[in-house]
Amino acid sequence: MNRALWLTLFFAACGPEQVEQPVQVTPAVEEQPVDTSMTELTGFPCDVREALQANCASCHAGPTYVTHFNSRDDLLAPGRGTHQLGVEVALRLRPDAAFPMPPVGAPQQPTLAERQLIDGWVQAGMPGGACGELDDTP
Ligand code: HEC
């Protein structure tokens, strides 16, 4: 056995022993201020907004002569009756509504999928989304 190999084996066998590592104390996680700027969505969800914009905005967005609803807040507020305005919206979008919306004969009528989408959103409590308000249409 040559000398170099012998030394290598010697040091491998007698190398420093595993020193016990000091126990790492994880510092307590500090309370972080909650950043609500990105999480608090107060607009319409995009698909809901699209359906309302296409089918309702021409008469209900902006300062119109009928009840206006531009924002989700408008639909969360009480309507003329005892319901929130959003609930009135859902009721009048149902196929069996006594006074359906849009009015019979309005040029643009929502598809069944759009009616169900808005109905489902209202039943879920009108959760906020990222797509803001309706555009006023002249
Ligand atoms: C062509 C115009 C027109 C369109 C389009 C239209 N509406 Fe209306 N809407 C009216 C008019 C006029 C009234 C008031 C008369 C009435 O209550 O029937 C009304 C009333 C309402 C009311 C009752 C408001 C209140 O204060 O009680 C709701 C809710 C409503 N519409 C929802 C909708 C929704 C949802 C859409 C779209 C899916 C829609 N409307 C589309 C003309 C329209």
Side-chain angles (χ1 to χ4, degrees), residues 31-63:
E31 290 268 334
Q32 296 294 324
V34 178
D35 176 9
T36 54
S37 59
M38 296 301 292
T39 53
E40 245 178 55
L41 299 175
T42 56
F44 287 114
C46 299
D47 49 0
V48 171
R49 183 192 173 282
E50 207 174 306
L52 294 173
Q53 183 68 41
N55 298 290
C56 322
S58 58
C59 298
H60 287 282

Side-chain angles (χ1 to χ4, degrees), residues 67-136:
T67 304
H68 78 269
F69 45 87
N70 286 58
S71 68
R72 173 171 159 262
D73 278 351
D74 292 333
L75 295 189
L76 290 170
R80 277 189 301 187
T82 52
H83 306 296
Q84 285 173 302
L85 185 57
V87 174
E88 300 288 347
V89 162
L91 292 174
R92 296 191 61 166
L93 274 169
R94 299 227 169 131
D96 60 351
F99 301 103
M101 275 291 138
V104 178
Q108 174 84 17
Q109 292 291 334
T111 62
L112 180 60
E114 286 174 317
R115 291 172 192 273
Q116 288 171 341
L117 173 76
I118 296 168
D119 202 351
W121 175 69
V122 171
Q123 289 191 47
M126 296 181 262
C131 277
E133 304 190 353
L134 304 185
D135 292 330
D136 292 12

